[in-house]
mmCIF file of all heavy atoms in Angstrom:
data_model
loop_
_atom_site.group_PDB
_atom_site.id
_atom_site.type_symbol
_atom_site.label_atom_id
_atom_site.label_comp_id
_atom_site.label_asym_id
_atom_site.label_seq_id
_atom_site.Cartn_x
_atom_site.Cartn_y
_atom_site.Cartn_z
ATOM 1 N N ASP A 204 18.851 24.914 -21.853
ATOM 2 C CA ASP A 204 19.757 25.996 -22.283
ATOM 3 C C ASP A 204 19.587 26.321 -23.757
ATOM 4 O O ASP A 204 19.613 27.465 -24.162
ATOM 5 C CB ASP A 204 21.225 25.600 -22.040
ATOM 6 C CG ASP A 204 21.485 25.350 -20.560
ATOM 7 O OD1 ASP A 204 20.717 25.883 -19.723
ATOM 8 O OD2 ASP A 204 22.441 24.626 -20.241
ATOM 9 N N ARG A 205 19.410 25.279 -24.575
ATOM 10 C CA ARG A 205 19.306 25.490 -26.019
ATOM 11 C C ARG A 205 17.935 26.023 -26.426
ATOM 12 O O ARG A 205 17.701 26.315 -27.581
ATOM 13 C CB ARG A 205 19.571 24.176 -26.764
ATOM 14 C CG ARG A 205 20.963 23.621 -26.517
ATOM 15 C CD ARG A 205 21.207 22.355 -27.315
ATOM 16 N NE ARG A 205 20.201 21.307 -27.082
ATOM 17 C CZ ARG A 205 20.223 20.459 -26.059
ATOM 18 N NH1 ARG A 205 21.174 20.531 -25.151
ATOM 19 N NH2 ARG A 205 19.306 19.530 -25.946
ATOM 20 N N GLY A 206 17.013 26.064 -25.469
ATOM 21 C CA GLY A 206 15.688 26.604 -25.756
ATOM 22 C C GLY A 206 14.742 25.629 -26.436
ATOM 23 O O GLY A 206 13.650 26.002 -26.817
ATOM 24 N N ASP A 207 15.147 24.372 -26.608
ATOM 25 C CA ASP A 207 14.256 23.407 -27.274
ATOM 26 C C ASP A 207 13.562 22.537 -26.239
ATOM 27 O O ASP A 207 13.939 21.420 -25.981
ATOM 28 C CB ASP A 207 15.036 22.557 -28.288
ATOM 29 C CG ASP A 207 16.211 21.816 -27.645
ATOM 30 O OD1 ASP A 207 16.587 22.173 -26.509
ATOM 31 O OD2 ASP A 207 16.728 20.891 -28.286
ATOM 32 N N GLY A 208 12.518 23.077 -25.642
ATOM 33 C CA GLY A 208 11.757 22.296 -24.677
ATOM 34 C C GLY A 208 12.268 22.446 -23.259
ATOM 35 O O GLY A 208 12.953 23.406 -22.935
ATOM 36 N N TYR A 209 11.920 21.489 -22.429
ATOM 37 C CA TYR A 209 12.274 21.589 -21.017
ATOM 38 C C TYR A 209 12.626 20.232 -20.430
ATOM 39 O O TYR A 209 12.429 19.198 -21.039
ATOM 40 C CB TYR A 209 11.146 22.253 -20.233
ATOM 41 C CG TYR A 209 9.839 21.489 -20.224
ATOM 42 C CD1 TYR A 209 9.545 20.607 -19.197
ATOM 43 C CD2 TYR A 209 8.887 21.671 -21.224
ATOM 44 C CE1 TYR A 209 8.354 19.902 -19.168
ATOM 45 C CE2 TYR A 209 7.680 20.974 -21.205
ATOM 46 C CZ TYR A 209 7.424 20.088 -20.173
ATOM 47 O OH TYR A 209 6.247 19.401 -20.147
ATOM 48 N N TYR A 210 13.191 20.272 -19.217
ATOM 49 C CA TYR A 210 13.489 19.058 -18.456
ATOM 50 C C TYR A 210 12.826 19.226 -17.093
ATOM 51 O O TYR A 210 12.265 20.281 -16.794
ATOM 52 C CB TYR A 210 15.003 18.841 -18.343
ATOM 53 C CG TYR A 210 15.760 19.947 -17.656
ATOM 54 C CD1 TYR A 210 16.062 19.894 -16.301
ATOM 55 C CD2 TYR A 210 16.198 21.073 -18.373
ATOM 56 C CE1 TYR A 210 16.763 20.903 -15.670
ATOM 57 C CE2 TYR A 210 16.902 22.088 -17.747
ATOM 58 C CZ TYR A 210 17.177 22.000 -16.408
ATOM 59 O OH TYR A 210 17.869 23.006 -15.786
ATOM 60 N N MET A 211 12.872 18.203 -16.268
ATOM 61 C CA MET A 211 12.286 18.302 -14.934
ATOM 62 C C MET A 211 13.420 18.497 -13.931
ATOM 63 O O MET A 211 14.468 17.855 -14.017
ATOM 64 C CB MET A 211 11.494 17.045 -14.590
ATOM 65 C CG MET A 211 10.268 16.859 -15.453
ATOM 66 S SD MET A 211 9.089 18.225 -15.389
ATOM 67 C CE MET A 211 8.170 17.781 -13.916
ATOM 68 N N ALA A 212 13.188 19.401 -12.968
ATOM 69 C CA ALA A 212 14.256 19.750 -12.037
ATOM 70 C C ALA A 212 13.726 20.014 -10.641
ATOM 71 O O ALA A 212 12.564 20.343 -10.448
ATOM 72 C CB ALA A 212 14.979 21.004 -12.542
ATOM 73 N N VAL A 213 14.643 19.864 -9.688
ATOM 74 C CA VAL A 213 14.397 20.258 -8.305
ATOM 75 C C VAL A 213 15.522 21.220 -7.936
ATOM 76 O O VAL A 213 16.678 20.808 -7.845
ATOM 77 C CB VAL A 213 14.429 19.041 -7.357
ATOM 78 C CG1 VAL A 213 14.276 19.500 -5.916
ATOM 79 C CG2 VAL A 213 13.336 18.051 -7.714
ATOM 80 N N PRO A 214 15.211 22.513 -7.756
ATOM 81 C CA PRO A 214 16.253 23.459 -7.339
ATOM 82 C C PRO A 214 16.735 23.133 -5.922
ATOM 83 O O PRO A 214 15.962 22.641 -5.102
ATOM 84 C CB PRO A 214 15.546 24.815 -7.357
ATOM 85 C CG PRO A 214 14.269 24.608 -8.087
ATOM 86 C CD PRO A 214 13.918 23.161 -7.962
ATOM 87 N N ALA A 215 18.003 23.431 -5.641
ATOM 88 C CA ALA A 215 18.614 23.078 -4.352
ATOM 89 C C ALA A 215 17.942 23.746 -3.156
ATOM 90 O O ALA A 215 17.995 23.232 -2.048
ATOM 91 C CB ALA A 215 20.093 23.437 -4.370
ATOM 92 N N PHE A 216 17.309 24.887 -3.360
ATOM 93 C CA PHE A 216 16.752 25.624 -2.218
ATOM 94 C C PHE A 216 15.341 25.177 -1.832
ATOM 95 O O PHE A 216 14.759 25.692 -0.885
ATOM 96 C CB PHE A 216 16.761 27.135 -2.497
ATOM 97 C CG PHE A 216 16.058 27.504 -3.773
ATOM 98 C CD1 PHE A 216 14.679 27.590 -3.832
ATOM 99 C CD2 PHE A 216 16.793 27.737 -4.924
ATOM 100 C CE1 PHE A 216 14.035 27.907 -5.016
ATOM 101 C CE2 PHE A 216 16.161 28.060 -6.115
ATOM 102 C CZ PHE A 216 14.775 28.139 -6.159
ATOM 103 N N VAL A 217 14.767 24.217 -2.537
ATOM 104 C CA VAL A 217 13.404 23.762 -2.241
ATOM 105 C C VAL A 217 13.414 22.837 -1.026
ATOM 106 O O VAL A 217 14.234 21.931 -0.954
ATOM 107 C CB VAL A 217 12.813 23.014 -3.467
ATOM 108 C CG1 VAL A 217 11.538 22.302 -3.096
ATOM 109 C CG2 VAL A 217 12.566 23.984 -4.600
ATOM 110 N N GLY A 218 12.503 23.060 -0.093
ATOM 111 C CA GLY A 218 12.353 22.152 1.044
ATOM 112 C C GLY A 218 13.493 22.249 2.043
ATOM 113 O O GLY A 218 14.258 23.217 2.065
ATOM 114 N N HIS A 219 13.583 21.239 2.895
ATOM 115 C CA HIS A 219 14.595 21.166 3.949
ATOM 116 C C HIS A 219 15.478 19.955 3.715
ATOM 117 O O HIS A 219 15.091 19.039 2.998
ATOM 118 C CB HIS A 219 13.919 21.047 5.321
ATOM 119 C CG HIS A 219 12.980 22.171 5.597
ATOM 120 N ND1 HIS A 219 13.412 23.437 5.931
ATOM 121 C CD2 HIS A 219 11.622 22.226 5.563
ATOM 122 C CE1 HIS A 219 12.354 24.221 6.098
ATOM 123 N NE2 HIS A 219 11.267 23.518 5.879
ATOM 124 N N LYS A 220 16.628 19.908 4.384
ATOM 125 C CA LYS A 220 17.542 18.783 4.240
ATOM 126 C C LYS A 220 16.801 17.459 4.462
ATOM 127 O O LYS A 220 15.971 17.357 5.366
ATOM 128 C CB LYS A 220 18.681 18.932 5.264
ATOM 129 C CG LYS A 220 19.776 17.888 5.106
ATOM 130 C CD LYS A 220 20.902 18.214 6.078
ATOM 131 C CE LYS A 220 21.997 17.192 6.134
ATOM 132 N NZ LYS A 220 21.767 15.857 5.702
ATOM 133 N N ASN A 221 17.102 16.498 3.600
ATOM 134 C CA ASN A 221 16.499 15.156 3.621
ATOM 135 C C ASN A 221 15.043 15.102 3.165
ATOM 136 O O ASN A 221 14.443 14.030 3.197
ATOM 137 C CB ASN A 221 16.643 14.468 4.987
ATOM 138 C CG ASN A 221 18.089 14.323 5.401
ATOM 139 O OD1 ASN A 221 18.994 14.416 4.578
ATOM 140 N ND2 ASN A 221 18.333 14.106 6.673
ATOM 141 N N ASP A 222 14.451 16.225 2.761
ATOM 142 C CA ASP A 222 13.114 16.166 2.153
ATOM 143 C C ASP A 222 13.220 15.411 0.834
ATOM 144 O O ASP A 222 14.270 15.414 0.192
ATOM 145 C CB ASP A 222 12.566 17.576 1.872
ATOM 146 C CG ASP A 222 11.912 18.205 3.092
ATOM 147 O OD1 ASP A 222 11.892 17.571 4.169
ATOM 148 O OD2 ASP A 222 11.411 19.333 2.966
ATOM 149 N N MET A 223 12.104 14.795 0.413
ATOM 150 C CA MET A 223 12.080 13.991 -0.814
ATOM 151 C C MET A 223 11.047 14.527 -1.800
ATOM 152 O O MET A 223 9.975 14.962 -1.390
ATOM 153 C CB MET A 223 11.644 12.554 -0.494
ATOM 154 C CG MET A 223 12.466 11.869 0.545
ATOM 155 S SD MET A 223 14.003 11.284 -0.148
ATOM 156 C CE MET A 223 14.610 10.365 1.236
ATOM 157 N N GLY A 224 11.400 14.420 -3.072
ATOM 158 C CA GLY A 224 10.434 14.700 -4.129
ATOM 159 C C GLY A 224 10.460 13.533 -5.096
ATOM 160 O O GLY A 224 11.535 13.103 -5.513
ATOM 161 N N ARG A 225 9.283 12.983 -5.437
ATOM 162 C CA ARG A 225 9.243 11.801 -6.310
ATOM 163 C C ARG A 225 8.423 12.065 -7.554
ATOM 164 O O ARG A 225 7.322 12.612 -7.474
ATOM 165 C CB ARG A 225 8.646 10.608 -5.560
ATOM 166 C CG ARG A 225 9.525 10.104 -4.460
ATOM 167 C CD ARG A 225 8.958 8.870 -3.763
ATOM 168 N NE ARG A 225 9.559 8.792 -2.444
ATOM 169 C CZ ARG A 225 9.027 9.342 -1.352
ATOM 170 N NH1 ARG A 225 7.880 9.983 -1.417
ATOM 171 N NH2 ARG A 225 9.645 9.249 -0.202
ATOM 172 N N LEU A 226 8.988 11.661 -8.682
ATOM 173 C CA LEU A 226 8.319 11.784 -9.968
ATOM 174 C C LEU A 226 8.221 10.373 -10.529
ATOM 175 O O LEU A 226 9.232 9.689 -10.688
ATOM 176 C CB LEU A 226 9.158 12.672 -10.894
ATOM 177 C CG LEU A 226 8.551 13.056 -12.225
ATOM 178 C CD1 LEU A 226 7.277 13.892 -12.018
ATOM 179 C CD2 LEU A 226 9.557 13.856 -13.032
ATOM 180 N N LYS A 227 6.987 9.930 -10.792
ATOM 181 C CA LYS A 227 6.772 8.530 -11.156
ATOM 182 C C LYS A 227 6.373 8.425 -12.623
ATOM 183 O O LYS A 227 5.530 9.169 -13.106
ATOM 184 C CB LYS A 227 5.653 7.978 -10.269
ATOM 185 C CG LYS A 227 5.439 6.487 -10.426
ATOM 186 C CD LYS A 227 4.343 5.989 -9.507
ATOM 187 C CE LYS A 227 4.845 5.815 -8.093
ATOM 188 N NZ LYS A 227 3.878 5.086 -7.244
ATOM 189 N N LEU A 228 7.017 7.484 -13.308
ATOM 190 C CA LEU A 228 6.695 7.169 -14.695
ATOM 191 C C LEU A 228 5.875 5.890 -14.691
ATOM 192 O O LEU A 228 6.348 4.844 -14.244
ATOM 193 C CB LEU A 228 8.000 6.957 -15.481
ATOM 194 C CG LEU A 228 7.880 6.402 -16.891
ATOM 195 C CD1 LEU A 228 7.024 7.307 -17.760
ATOM 196 C CD2 LEU A 228 9.261 6.242 -17.499
ATOM 197 N N LEU A 229 4.618 5.997 -15.121
ATOM 198 C CA LEU A 229 3.756 4.820 -15.153
ATOM 199 C C LEU A 229 4.010 4.058 -16.448
ATOM 200 O O LEU A 229 3.975 4.640 -17.529
ATOM 201 C CB LEU A 229 2.284 5.229 -15.060
ATOM 202 C CG LEU A 229 1.924 6.029 -13.803
ATOM 203 C CD1 LEU A 229 0.449 6.358 -13.781
ATOM 204 C CD2 LEU A 229 2.321 5.292 -12.539
ATOM 205 N N LEU A 230 4.289 2.775 -16.330
ATOM 206 C CA LEU A 230 4.584 1.949 -17.493
ATOM 207 C C LEU A 230 3.431 1.003 -17.745
ATOM 208 O O LEU A 230 2.976 0.311 -16.842
ATOM 209 C CB LEU A 230 5.855 1.128 -17.248
ATOM 210 C CG LEU A 230 7.116 1.932 -16.951
ATOM 211 C CD1 LEU A 230 8.242 1.006 -16.545
ATOM 212 C CD2 LEU A 230 7.518 2.757 -18.160
ATOM 213 N N THR A 231 2.970 0.969 -18.979
ATOM 214 C CA THR A 231 1.917 0.022 -19.333
ATOM 215 C C THR A 231 2.422 -0.796 -20.510
ATOM 216 O O THR A 231 3.346 -0.388 -21.200
ATOM 217 C CB THR A 231 0.622 0.761 -19.724
ATOM 218 O OG1 THR A 231 0.960 1.770 -20.671
ATOM 219 C CG2 THR A 231 -0.032 1.410 -18.524
#
């Protein structure tokens, strides 16, 4: 909202009920 960069999101209308989306952070 403030215009300083972005975040990661999944809009409610994407996919079907119970569908999954996974975003993985690799740690080293």
